[in-house]
Amino acid sequence: MIQVNNLKFRYTSEGPETIKGITFTIEKGQIFGLLGPSGSGKSTTQKILYKLLSGYEGSAKIKNKEVSDWGKELYEQIGVGFELPNHYLKLSALENLKFFQSFYGKNHDPMKLLKMVGLEMDADKKVSEFSKGMKMRLNFVRAFAHDPEVLFLDEPTSGLDPTNSRIIKDIILNLKKEGKTILITTHHMEDAEELCDQVAFLSTGEIKTLDSPQNLKLEYGKNTVEVLTQSNLEPITFDLKTLKDNDKFLDLIQTEEIKTIHSKEANLNDIFIEVTGQKLK
Amino acid sequence: MKKLAKLIESDLKLIFRDKTLLSFLVLPIVLIFVFKFLTPILIEKIPILEDYRTLIAMFASIQTAIMFGFITSFLILDEKDENVMQVIRILPISSSYFILYRLLFATVFSSTAAFFMITYTDIANPGTVNALLLSILYGLTAPTISLIIATYAKNKVEGMAYFKGVDLLLMLPLASFFVGSSISLVFSILPTYWTFKFYDHSFNGESSLNYFIIGALFFISLISILIIQFKKRVFGRS
């Protein structure tokens, strides 16, 4: 659905390259995460793909057509959820949705969309009276209000409380089930781990590594299990591969009271730091 | 047409929900009535004003016409402030469609108000055809002022300052009627010079169409340059 090949971009002809030859492919129905700290090139990459930035080198294709060759009809195919709220503050949530929907051929029922993110009771309230979280939820539903095939979501859970963050993530997973292709940029590793089929670690305009979260965790994790028992102050470490034949481990779990037991796979945050040498936030 | 209707509906809602914009929408109507009823009284009290009928009408018409330029420019400034411009750029309509609609919106309202100011107040009525042509020239001041403010002002405070400055500049050619003909040409670098000349000549029954043509071409050229600037600065591409 999306093919990016050796993509390069600089904001001014004399300036440094912001994107330095990145390559990735997103298949239909996949959720792809672009992960990186501020200034790593995540948003620039997205903006190139939805044509807010032009004049790139290399190739960026959506539905097998070069982005630069797409006209305005591209926006019938894609939806964009921006990182910051952008609504007409003097219009209500429902009026905002209806206004933007009026430019598209097909649309979801705006009230159903508002209900999905718990805004149905605030449908007729002016957006200027909304909290940041409410504006972000409105941003989110507007992105797919016209039922696009491809979605670009920039920090979709930013500014949301855990309950609403859960609702948004569930909707994203449902959109995937419907066959939507989704590109998410985020620095929330937990979200990426839960949502993404593939993640690319972006740092200083380069992709440092690209794989599924599961593979990355296996590759960079330690093949060990740590067991903490009631009688020991320090956890005891066992090799995961030989665990079933490890007499000491088997004896321990039969005779001791176990306080905690953890496999030591790495989390994406640790892997990001190891791969890029940078922190995410 | 559905898109156009939605744009107009949404713009009217935005205007009616903003006290400043609403007052600028009502102001032309107030001005028309004030000039209609106040001018004869003033002329009666100060008879010398009789000689300045056309100048009063020129001033009244330009003040009426620019209000809609202010309204549309502030609608765009709001869209810039609220980051809505970003969303407009990813809609399946071209940015030109959006800009042209807004400019047409300003021109139509502005021309209509100017036409009523010229004909209904009857301060200096040059006849229906000339009044229509004058309305077009006055109408074109609205997109001009709107584009200048929306392109160069960073916020509403700056927008208000630009509005006052541009208003003053557009009125400046009125001074050309108080100076010798050679000096008055200095004001021809401003588009309203040609509007005022057309008004003066058409009201006095003199040959005037050249002034209309030059004025219209001047405004259209200026608006075209401003559109390019607007696209570059506000939409980020030309």
Side-chain angles (χ1 to χ4, degrees):
Chain A
M1 185 61 86
I2 298 174
Q3 292 102 27
V4 172
N5 193 16
N6 197 26
L7 182 72
K8 293 176 184 172
F9 182 80
R10 53 181 93 219
Y11 279 94
T12 54
S13 55
E14 302 295 311
E17 275 184 345
T18 308
I19 303 294
K20 300 168 183 166
I22 62 172
T23 298
F24 63 88
T25 300
I26 312 175
E27 302 296 339
K28 183 176 163 50
Q30 262 197 346
I31 301 180
F32 186 93
L34 266 182
L35 315 183
S38 301
S40 59
K42 306 187 299 279
S43 296
T44 304
T45 307
Q46 275 215 13
K47 282 178 183 168
I48 292 168
L49 287 169
Y50 51 72
K51 286 196 80 170
L52 282 194
L53 292 173
S54 54
Y56 61 85
E57 287 175 53
S59 171
K61 289 182 180 175
I62 293 178
K63 294 184 86 177
N64 288 322
K65 188 172 170 180
E66 198 61 41
V67 166
S68 54
D69 293 336
W70 276 99
K72 279 282 179 179
E73 70 281 6
L74 172 68
Y75 300 121
E76 292 275 2
Q77 315 285 330
I78 69 165
V80 181
F82 291 97
E83 185 184 1
L84 295 171
N86 36 22
H87 311 286
Y88 284 107
L89 299 183
K90 292 185 201 91
L91 298 184
S92 70
L94 189 60
E95 285 169 340
N96 263 285
L97 275 184
K98 282 183 173 175
F99 173 74
F100 289 113
Q101 282 186 318
S102 67
F103 298 100
Y104 297 94
K106 56 172 180 174
N107 284 303
H108 287 300
D109 176 356
M111 273 312 288
K112 275 187 187 165
L113 292 169
L114 292 173
K115 199 173 177 186
M116 281 169 88
V117 289
L119 289 174
E120 73 275 23
M121 302 299 281
D122 304 294
D124 296 318
K125 200 187 264 185
K126 277 188 203 169
V127 176
S128 56
E129 295 165 33
F130 275 23
S131 66
K132 194 199 170 194
M134 290 164 87
K135 286 176 189 166
M136 285 309 296
R137 282 183 273 157
L138 185 58
N139 252 28
F140 175 70
V141 288
R142 190 186 57 207
F144 60 93
H146 55 289
D147 196 22
E149 281 185 63
V150 181
L151 265 174
F152 295 94
L153 301 174
D154 200 351
E155 304 284 356
T157 57
S158 162
L160 297 180
D161 58 66
T163 311
N164 281 308
S165 179
R166 180 70 263 153
I167 292 169
I168 298 295
K169 283 190 270 186
D170 286 342
I171 297 171
I172 293 172
L173 290 169
N174 271 331
L175 289 166
K176 173 186 155 71
K177 272 186 201 161
E178 288 171 19
K180 310 292 183 197
T181 308
I182 303 168
L183 173 62
I184 293 178
T185 55
T186 183
H187 57 254
H188 288 284
M189 286 298 171
E190 301 78 18
D191 289 356
E193 209 169 315
E194 184 186 346
L195 297 171
C196 298
D197 299 297
Q198 282 200 95
V199 291
F201 287 174
L202 204 60
S203 173
T204 58
E206 290 174 282
I207 289 181
K208 301 293 184 185
T209 191
L210 192 163
D211 211 330
S212 69
Q214 200 56 39
N215 284 347
L216 286 171
K217 282 161 73 178
L218 287 173
E219 188 183 336
Y220 289 91
K222 292 174 191 163
N223 268 335
T224 55
V225 174
E226 269 185 7
V227 182
L228 185 67
T229 62
Q230 190 68 39
S231 57
N232 285 306
L233 288 172
E234 291 293 319
I236 307 162
T237 305
F238 297 97
D239 182 45
L240 197 62
K241 281 180 186 165
T242 56
L243 200 60
K244 69 181 169 63
D245 301 318
N246 190 320
D247 290 338
K248 192 180 171 190
F249 171 76
L250 294 171
D251 185 51
L252 190 75
I253 58 168
Q254 281 174 359
T255 56
E256 294 269 352
E257 189 182 334
I258 307 294
K259 282 181 80 178
T260 62
I261 182 162
H262 292 295
S263 57
K264 298 301 287 180
E265 72 265 31
N267 64 46
L268 288 186
N269 235 336
D270 299 334
I271 302 168
F272 189 88
I273 294 166
E274 190 177 334
V275 170
T276 67
Q278 276 187 302
K279 283 190 176 177
L280 263 174
K281 290 174 188 176
Chain B
M1 275 312 278
K2 187 187 147 201
K3 289 173 190 171
L4 190 66
K6 199 72 193 170
L7 279 168
I8 294 170
E9 182 197 330
S10 146
D11 273 357
L12 290 176
K13 275 182 191 165
L14 292 170
I15 294 166
F16 276 92
R17 290 176 192 177
D18 184 306
K19 281 177 189 163
T20 312
L21 297 186
L22 185 60
S23 62
F24 273 76
L25 187 72
V26 175
L27 209 54
I29 301 164
V30 175
L31 282 176
I32 288 170
F33 282 104
V34 167
F35 277 96
K36 163 86 179 164
F37 297 107
L38 208 65
T39 314
I41 299 167
L42 275 174
I43 290 175
E44 201 183 307
K45 300 246 182 225
I46 316 163
I48 197 168
L49 286 178
E50 181 63 44
D51 297 339
Y52 297 98
R53 270 182 174 275
T54 44
L55 283 176
I56 295 169
M58 284 171 197
F59 170 78
S61 306
I62 194 95
Q63 288 309 309
T64 311
I66 60 168
M67 298 303 169
F68 297 97
F70 176 88
I71 291 171
T72 43
S73 65
F74 269 58
L75 285 177
I76 298 171
L77 282 181
D78 263 342
E79 280 162 345
K80 277 165 81 175
D81 278 355
E82 292 158 11
N83 288 320
V84 179
M85 277 294 169
Q86 223 173 14
V87 193
I88 290 166
R89 283 180 63 185
I90 56 146
L91 289 176
I93 56 161
S94 81
S95 53
S96 302
Y97 180 94
F98 180 78
I99 296 165
L100 288 176
Y101 149 72
R102 271 280 159 76
L103 301 184
L104 211 63
F105 181 82
T107 310
V108 168
F109 274 92
S110 189
S111 293
T112 311
F115 181 77
F116 278 105
M117 181 58 96
I118 295 164
T119 54
Y120 178 69
T121 58
D122 221 17
I123 303 168
N125 192 342
T128 310
V129 176
N130 285 327
L132 275 171
L133 294 176
L134 268 172
S135 307
I136 293 169
L137 291 181
Y138 276 116
L140 289 171
T141 57
T144 308
I145 202 163
S146 180
L147 280 167
I148 291 172
I149 297 172
T151 306
Y152 298 104
K154 289 189 186 77
N155 50 52
K156 286 183 179 177
V157 178
E158 268 191 34
M160 193 59 96
Y162 270 98
F163 176 68
K164 286 175 185 166
V166 177
D167 183 19
L168 203 67
L169 268 179
L170 292 176
M171 283 195 301
L172 210 56
L174 286 173
S176 68
F177 294 97
F178 298 96
V179 295
S181 58
S182 54
I183 299 172
S184 82
L185 270 176
V186 172
F187 297 103
S188 67
I189 56 164
L190 293 165
T192 41
Y193 170 84
W194 303 98
T195 312
F196 298 151
K197 280 285 172 197
F198 177 58
Y199 203 148
D200 188 47
H201 282 248
S202 62
F203 180 67
N204 292 316
E206 296 163 17
S207 165
S208 57
L209 204 61
N210 284 348
Y211 292 113
F212 171 77
I213 293 166
I214 296 170
L217 289 175
F218 197 142
F219 270 116
I220 289 165
S221 311
L222 188 59
I223 289 167
S224 305
I225 293 166
L226 286 168
I227 286 175
I228 294 168
Q229 284 299 309
F230 179 83
K231 278 184 162 184
K232 215 182 243 176
R233 284 170 169 259
V234 180
F235 279 105
R237 63 187 174 208
S238 53

